[in-house]
Amino acid sequence: MKVLLSWLKEYVDIDVTPQELEKKFFGAGFEVEGVEYLGENIEKVYVGQVTSIEKYEGTHLYICHIDCGEQGHDHLILTGADNVFQGAKVPACIVGAKLPNGMEITPRKMKDMMSYGMLCSGGELGLDKDWYKGADVNGIMILDEDAPVGEDIKTYLGLDDYVFDISVTANRPDCQSVLGLAREVAAFLGKEVKLPDMSYTCDEVTKPEISVTVESQDICPRYLGHYVYDVQYKESPLWMKRRLIAVGHNAINAMVDITNYVLVEIGQPMHAFDLNTLEGSSIVVRRAQDGEKLVTLDGKERVLGHNNLLICDKVKAVGLAGVMGGLNSEITENTKEVLFESAKFMKDNVRKTARGLGLQSDAASRYEKGIDEYSVECGMARALNLVTTLGVAKVSSTQFDVSAGASTEKRVIKVPTAKVNYVLGIEVPEEEMVRILKNLAFEVELSDGVLTLAVPRYREDIENYQDIAEEIIREYGYDKVVPTFLGEALVTNGGLNAAQSKELSVKNFLCTQGYYEIQTIAMTSKDEFDEFLIPADAKERKVIEILNPITENLSVMRTLMAPAMVRAIENNIKNGNTDLRFFELANVYIPKSLPLTEAPDEVKTLCLGTSGSDEDFFTMKETLENFASYNNIKFTYKRGNVPYLHPGRTAEVYCDGTLIGTFGQLRYDVIDSLAIAKDKKNDTKIFIAELNYDVLKTKFKEEITYTPESTFAKTSRDIAMIVDKKVECGDIIATIEKADALVSEVDLFDIFESEKLGFGKKSMAFRIVFASHEFDVTDEMTDKAVDGIVNLLRDVYGALMRS
Amino acid sequence: MFNADDLKKKFLNDIETARSESQLSEVWKTYLSKNGSVPSLMNGIKEVAKEEKKAYGQFVNDVKNWVQEKYDEKKKEIEALELQQKYERETIDVTVPVKARPMGNLHPLTAVKYEMINVFAGMGFEIFEGPEIEDDDHNFTRLNVLKDHPSRDMQDTFWLTDDLLLRTHTSPGQIRTMDAKKPPIKVLVPGKVFRSDSDATHSPMFSQMEGLVVDKHITLCDLQGMLDEFVKKLFTGDVKTRLRPSYFPFTEPSVEVDVSCFKCGGCGCSLCKGTGWIEVLGGGIVNKKVLENCGIDSEEYSGLAFGIGIERIAMLKYGINHMGKLFENDIEFLKQFKA
């Protein structure tokens, strides 16, 4: 909300500096986002009068003597402009002057003569014709005859003023106006607020054929209309234009400027309809029919629906309620009669209409924040006052007030002072509460510790003791709060629970394995599935879509962690860092059904990614084994199949027979699609693991139980065998483990392929430990077990034992 | 009397010249082994008169002890010497670098998250993590953000259906906690949140930590007192907090909490933009409607709540100047956060 200091000062006596005012606003809960001084960078420019002027022969210049009153009566200034004349009043820059365009005035030689200053144009002062007439002429800006000689030009042109850009919180729509902020200033400075002049007199003219009908009172609970006539199409006075321009509006014509002025000053959006364009002289407020069209003031055709509220005449739409008028009822120089609108439209409806059509306007952004009915009344009164005082139109007696029936009385609430102090935790004296609330324009009665409060009509946010506590502490001062450390709260037992501690422990463990934790965005694009070669019918493609994504790249919730991991690795490789170990523990989002009807499963997933000269399939497997060991669980592996992983280098990871996830080497064709330099692609291998952490964590041991160390004798034997290359080591180990109850450990200690073994063969050697918790394992038992194992391996895998 | 001086002299000479364990074992063989010259002295007992036999035995024993003692001394000396030589031989250049596998570390947001959790855990806060996909009811309605409420404008929401959405804050954790548990409540809700804006200072995904205390007679003074402790622990130094009015639908009164600048001590610097204060979080007294929406008697209990942007704290703590850095996962960035 932009507000001009001088405008505020019209309604409240401000006797503090702009800097102090900024601090006071801040303390009262209004963050000042910026303070702009209108006369910034204009120095030593004064109203000067040309006492003599003569042509400088042989040049295009004029020699002027300028009287700047107290600032010196005779400044010799040369100018090239030929609109200057003797007696003219002009902005005179004297030596040492500064202008907004960065110019600094020093004595300078022009042809053979010294000039001690400069006469300047409106443009050089940063002004246009709406700020001062003649500011746009090509030449020097000629000032009015009554301009006081010697006055600082900033004072004279109204540039000695400040624009405050104030952030107003959403609960205070009443402060989206000069008047609203003036009320706050009055409260914190302890001053009276003066209301804008809202007086007007209706003459005896009536226009009985006009009618106003509100069909949709649910979204238009109040509609005021007033007929004005004898409309003069003219410009607004300078003071009004300047105020509007200073806060970011354009000056258009007096009628339109008045509606904008009321919007800024009172906070009430107004609309002026050219009565002659209203078929049947009637206003009907109704919902649009589906497909109904309206060309708005910006010249665009809008196609509307049932949720858009329209202002119509008997046959057609003439405005989009609260958002923008229609081009067909615009004020023009031919406008003679106007129907003023001051209405309350529901903020939700205006917001949805504006957003839905992608159409923003000052009115819409004001309506979206919420309008109170008091403003509706004030806005109309102020507009009628202004049309009268500015001679823009005459105010008739034909007026309308269509209300859904809300009370125009103030609400009364009762608040015990003890409740206020209960919230705040300090004792605010009752008389202070009364003083503060009165400053905030509440009508206050205090008896037996209970405040009976009549709430100002514009304070729709005030409902209960908590709201009143906030009003009081805001004005009493937050510095009066005395910090206490949960003085009366019960002691509670805090900290991470077991699962949360474990998660941190798991992360820390991965760090010790050289992995850096990364965080990636949970949204992705559907294109990613193509790049990762996910089949058209794969379940990973059943994604949750965001209805209003900000970009297509972030339009669906991820079902896989790998793509973001690969992107992170890709970016680092692009930056020249190729040795990478990353992990991420985050959710993937799996819908229970599509379209989504209930909250989906958020599956916490652990993703590992590695790349670099020291990394291969088995270094990642080593990490997984260390991970299992750290967590006292056991992983087993099977050959797996993942669309984006190397078909020969992909494994499924099991724990206690449950599939936990997969890992392997990223396919070369996926790497090919990455933005990595071509010559580096051949050297780049990326390894990815994705584990379902929610399942994995159920495998973690919750409690540790001590088992006495076995004192029974163990034995161990080594066996070596030749098998087909295709026989997988994991299968052999699993077979050995299951072959005999005495088998307690099976470790591969040698594996190789060699021509000597025969084509397509490989040799594997295992050390097998035999143990029991009940008895000593003897050599005979061991021999028997080994025989059984050997036979089994021969039968199942055709294994040929080596001695 | 008996005399072995020559033997002793010879022994002393031999043992003096021994320089290694092998030379020493030669000495042992010559003098102390079963047939060595010292035990052989006993052979002389045959030539000794009967009444002197006892004394002779004593004499031989004394010689034997004396030799043994000298021998042991020398042995120790040589062993020490040899050990010393071994150490010298084995001496290495300890400054030769090794190829160690570098350690990773937690993401700075995780590190800061746990640091914050630690501070609040000490105050008795439990940790609750709610779902990232929420419904309108938990994310808005029961938090007193009603259908037409302007704060739905403040929270630009990613919608999945007309009811389901990506949570815009961790505040739904308040509702889920109060649904599950009755006072006394002290809970922290850390987690990812989502808003549909993205620019230099916003990421569509970021992280927050919600705090909620519900008990008898919780006041604004408690909020400030607790947060004072928090900022003191999190930012070292003698920092303090400042409350200023703000607005959230789920708290009333609502405050922004500033911390006195821990870089300049409040004098004004680039970090605090010359104000001496840095905005760190928002909070307030739980709106009684929120308590009532969760079936908690607002006459008996009151609460305080606060929400902290974890990115903001991490950026302040580590001096990170660009939020985007936190999600780029550049290893040159990541590796700087080893605690």
Side-chain angles (χ1 to χ4, degrees), chain A residues 347 351 419 423 463 466 470 482 484 490 492 495 500 511 516-517 519 547-548 572 577 589 602 614, chain B residues 99 104 107 110 124-125 127 132-133 148 153 157 159 186 215 222 252 254 286 288-289 329 331 338:
Chain A
K347 58 190 174 188
R351 184 179 65 231
K419 277 284 200 189
V423 169
E463 291 179 27
Q466 284 188 305
E470 177 166 71
V482 184
T484 53
L490 290 174
T492 49
Q500 292 160 345
C511 293
Y516 285 91
E517 188 190 15
Q519 286 207 11
L547 297 180
N548 55 332
N572 277 281
N577 290 309
Y589 308 84
E602 296 177 16
D614 293 341
Chain B
K99 187 166 190 289
H107 191 278
T110 307
F125 280 76
I127 287 79
E132 290 166 12
I133 293 178
D148 68 340
D153 290 347
T157 308
W159 290 93
K186 284 194 205 117
D215 204 338
D222 291 325
E252 186 76 34
S254 300
V286 179
K288 65 198 276 279
K289 292 179 192 166
N329 300 310
I331 194 160
K338 291 196 163 63

Side-chain angles (χ1 to χ4, degrees), chain A residues 524-536 538-545 555-561 563 567 589 643-644 670:
Chain A
T524 182
S525 101
K526 280 184 173 176
D527 294 344
E528 202 112 69
F529 295 123
D530 298 335
E531 287 171 44
F532 279 76
L533 310 171
I534 307 294
K539 65 179 191 316
E540 288 82 1
R541 286 197 185 248
K542 300 205 165 30
V543 286
I544 300 165
E545 297 190 34
S555 59
V556 299
M557 302 308 292
R558 64 175 162 198
T559 54
L560 283 172
M561 298 280 286
R567 295 282 170 239
Y589 308 84
Y644 47 87
V670 177

Side-chain angles (χ1 to χ4, degrees), chain A residues 92-137:
Chain A
C93 309
I94 64 172
V95 170
K98 287 180 182 167
L99 289 171
N101 58 12
M103 198 183 264
E104 291 189 25
I105 306 302
T106 52
R108 63 183 179 132
K109 202 167 190 180
M110 295 171 85
K111 187 77 177 163
D112 293 321
M113 193 179 269
M114 290 298 289
S115 173
Y116 298 91
M118 190 182 90
L119 306 181
C120 67
S121 67
E124 281 161 332
L125 289 167
L127 306 175
D128 69 11
K129 68 172 169 40
D130 286 327
W131 196 273
Y132 197 87
K133 74 170 179 355
D136 57 334
V137 300

Side-chain angles (χ1 to χ4, degrees), chain A residues 170, chain B residues 140 144-146 148-156 247 249:
Chain B
F140 290 128
N144 194 39
V145 187
L146 303 178
D148 68 340
H149 210 287
S151 61
R152 290 198 185 208
D153 290 347
M154 305 189 323
Q155 322 233 8
D156 284 347
Y247 169 66

